[in-house]
Amino acid sequence: MEPPVRLASTGTIIHGVSVGEVLGVSTLAEARLIAGESGLGRIVQRLNVMEVPDILAWVKPHELLLTTGYPLRNTPQSLGRLVADLDERGLSALAIKLGRYVDELPDEMVEQADRLGFPLILLPNDVGFDDILNQVLTDILNRQAAVLARAEEAHRALVQVVLAGGGLNEVAAEVAQLLDVSVAAVDGSGRVLATAGPAEHVAVLRESISREGPPRTPAPGRARSFASVPVLAGGHHHGRIVAYSPSGAIRDSDVGILERAATVAALVVTRQEAVNAVESKYRADFLRDVLTGRAGTAERVTARARAFGWDLARPVTVLVAELDPDGDERSAQDRLVACWTAAMRRHDPRGAVAGFSHEVVAVVDASIDATRVAKDAASAFADVPPATFSTGTSRPSPGAETLPEAYSQALKAARVGRQLHGPGAVAHFDQLGVYRLLSLVNDTEELHAFVRETLGPLAADTDAENADLRRTLQVLLETNLNVAETARRLHFHYNTLRYRIGKLERLLGNFTDDPHLRLNLTLALHVLRMRGI
């Protein structure tokens, strides 16, 4: 025995037949459409009989309302407004028997039905409402059962694709075959990941996606040329499945199958993300070992890197992109890795890239402009503010043996660059000048002790006057003790600056006559500027 048809969980019909198809059933063979021909595509999901004058309180959307006109016999003046009220409530059509209680429909009612595309149907007097109800509801239930059966068949086919290890290409191909449409799987950034269907139709689909997405689809119940459903998994939006039919034959039941395909696509995406996460960890662990000198011989490093698609045997440059403070670290780090991976794919497909806990490290061909790669990644990363990152670039490394040194250079360049230029800095190790030498001193406490000994009370930030004097000293040293130029830059009177110079010499010593003291003071100010490195 066949199992009964199971409807939607709400117990309601979720599919139906058009008004035009209703008129094709045998019991309505003698029925006549008298107005609203443009609305024949409206979907009928249920039927109702008008037995009371206040029918508006009882009607539901997508109903075919049957009446003998009895409730309206004493209120012919309300017929003109009835069509608008029924249309406003989403009804599909009104079918009426004339001659017994209502002799004719007013012209105003017919005109309004034509204007609104609301079908008015004249029923034959010899057909009972029970026959109409039975036959139309049977057709609706048969349509519902067929749609559900088709959806179930599609679901089994799509699940089988996943069980067989298929990816988005196979899912798209299965949907294209099931619905006889062209299909594209698109990621969250609008990049097309997979397509299926005739090449000319896929081209139209790609063009629509490259614009602001597919054109807006018609209201539910009507066929369309484009349909788009989101791919959701774990509360995250992973993209969408888009379909195109040049004949405009995509219906609501097809959209239902697309939604099932989107669920299956979400499984594929989630599975691939899990695989990618494991592969990313292996890549990151290996690259970390390479950059810390623990990966073995150069031959072993080169061979294993080749398995990841990396070429580390050529001259390369190391870049370190380190997140600047005060951002949402977890989400920003994931986005940072994605942006750098995409940038490396465009500029150097054989380059290595991996994300660590707070940074991304990229190893790129030394002949490629590393600054362009960094700017490309920064441009994509800036699409979702407010997080930023600073980038450091090493000297060219001739091979795998010198990668640890190059990594150290890039890391220092990133951190010194941020201290000197603020968040979002891009710095090359060779362009750090004296800061490069200072960054090579591993004992930062010794550097800070040197600052305290050289600058004395000016080393602290607690006193505003001392900070102001330190600024004066810095400009004096930058202008090579040119008092007039220093006064101009600081907007001081000449005599005020002479007074400040005297005060500085009482605190620091006779630096105007001692070049060695001036060198020490300059270095101390540089170290102070690098505080926190």
Side-chain angles (χ1 to χ4, degrees), residues 395-410:
R395 294 168 174 167
S397 170
E401 305 93 333
T402 56
L403 282 177
E405 181 183 355
Y407 170 62
S408 177
Q409 293 170 358

Side-chain angles (χ1 to χ4, degrees), residues 284-344:
D285 289 346
F286 170 62
L287 187 57
R288 185 183 289 107
D289 287 343
V290 171
L291 298 176
T292 54
R294 299 197 303 267
T297 64
E299 292 77 11
R300 184 174 183 275
V301 168
T302 300
R304 191 172 175 190
R306 194 176 297 116
F308 290 119
W310 300 343
D311 183 2
L312 300 184
R314 56 185 175 165
V316 293
T317 301
V318 177
L319 294 91
V320 171
E322 192 174 51
L323 284 172
D324 295 321
D326 304 325
D328 181 355
E329 207 166 281
R330 183 65 265 163
S331 62
Q333 177 66 14
D334 292 340
R335 202 168 79 252
L336 184 65
V337 174
C339 292
W340 272 91
T341 301
M344 287 291 290

Side-chain angles (χ1 to χ4, degrees), residues 350-387:
R350 295 188 300 154
V353 60
F356 299 160
S357 57
H358 302 286
E359 65 194 41
V360 173
V361 179
V363 183
V364 63
D365 190 329
S367 64
I368 292 176
D369 186 350
T371 302
R372 285 187 58 195
V373 181
K375 288 182 177 178
D376 191 357
S379 176
F381 192 74
D383 289 344
V384 189

Side-chain angles (χ1 to χ4, degrees), residues 458 463-473 490 492 500:
L458 300 189
D463 191 311
E465 183 182 1
N466 287 339
D468 196 27
L469 285 172
R470 191 170 65 235
R471 170 64 178 156
T472 301
L473 174 63
L490 297 176
F492 288 160
R500 282 178 169 249

Side-chain angles (χ1 to χ4, degrees), residues 80-125:
R81 179 63 192 166
L82 180 61
V83 167
D85 290 336
L86 295 177
D87 179 69
E88 185 178 330
R89 285 161 175 78
L91 265 74
S92 300
L94 173 66
I96 187 170
K97 289 185 177 183
L98 295 178
R100 188 169 181 183
Y101 301 108
V102 176
D103 292 329
E104 62 180 2
L105 300 179
D107 292 341
E108 178 187 356
M109 184 178 184
V110 175
E111 291 171 2
Q112 192 170 51
D114 276 328
R115 186 168 61 252
L116 296 174
F118 184 85
L120 288 180
I121 301 169
L122 180 60
L123 295 174
N125 289 322

Side-chain angles (χ1 to χ4, degrees), residues 50-328:
M50 185 176 182
E51 300 174 330
V52 293
D54 58 342
I55 188 63
L56 295 177
W58 305 97
V59 297
K60 295 181 179 65
H62 302 298
E63 279 186 347
L64 169 61
L65 186 61
L66 308 175
T67 182
T68 60
Y70 178 77
L72 307 172
R73 67 193 187 285
N74 297 322
T75 57
Q77 68 279 3
S78 65
L79 289 177
R81 179 63 192 166
L82 180 61
V83 167
D85 290 336
L86 295 177
D87 179 69
E88 185 178 330
R89 285 161 175 78
L91 265 74
S92 300
L94 173 66
I96 187 170
K97 289 185 177 183
L98 295 178
R100 188 169 181 183
Y101 301 108
V102 176
D103 292 329
E104 62 180 2
L105 300 179
D107 292 341
E108 178 187 356
M109 184 178 184
V110 175
E111 291 171 2
Q112 192 170 51
D114 276 328
R115 186 168 61 252
L116 296 174
F118 184 85
L120 288 180
I121 301 169
L122 180 60
L123 295 174
N125 289 322
D126 58 347
V127 177
F129 283 175
D130 57 339
D131 293 331
I132 297 174
L133 290 169
N134 285 334
Q135 191 167 20
V136 174
L137 282 176
T138 297
D139 283 359
I140 290 174
L141 289 174
N142 287 340
R143 178 69 58 85
Q144 176 85 0
V147 168
L148 291 176
R150 180 175 179 237
E152 188 63 28
E153 179 186 353
H155 182 72
R156 283 196 298 268
L158 290 166
V159 169
Q160 189 58 42
V161 168
V162 177
L163 293 177
L168 290 177
N169 283 317
E170 288 73 20
V171 171
E174 188 68 34
V175 175
Q177 182 177 351
L178 286 168
L179 302 182
D180 192 23
V181 295
S182 297
V183 179
V186 185
D187 67 11
S189 62
R191 185 165 60 97
V192 176
L193 303 177
T195 60
E200 62 273 19
H201 299 165
V202 169
V204 174
L205 190 55
R206 284 181 177 274
E207 184 181 354
S208 71
I209 293 169
S210 67
R211 299 195 301 265
E212 297 180 0
R216 296 185 65 178
T217 56
R222 301 183 182 180
R224 67 209 75 178
S225 295
F226 289 91
S228 175
V229 296
V231 177
L232 303 173
H236 298 289
H237 187 282
H238 294 280
R240 53 202 168 104
I241 300 289
V242 187
Y244 166 64
S245 170
S247 61
I250 301 176
R251 306 196 68 84
D252 287 348
S253 58
D254 299 327
V255 175
I257 291 177
L258 284 178
E259 289 171 347
R260 293 187 179 230
T263 301
V264 173
L267 292 175
V268 172
V269 170
T270 304
R271 182 188 64 190
Q272 189 58 49
E273 284 185 345
V275 172
N276 290 343
V278 174
E279 291 182 350
S280 295
K281 183 180 183 305
Y282 279 120
R283 284 195 295 267
D285 289 346
F286 170 62
L287 187 57
R288 185 183 289 107
D289 287 343
V290 171
L291 298 176
T292 54
R294 299 197 303 267
T297 64
E299 292 77 11
R300 184 174 183 275
V301 168
T302 300
R304 191 172 175 190
R306 194 176 297 116
F308 290 119
W310 300 343
D311 183 2
L312 300 184
R314 56 185 175 165
V316 293
T317 301
V318 177
L319 294 91
V320 171
E322 192 174 51
L323 284 172
D324 295 321
D326 304 325
D328 181 355

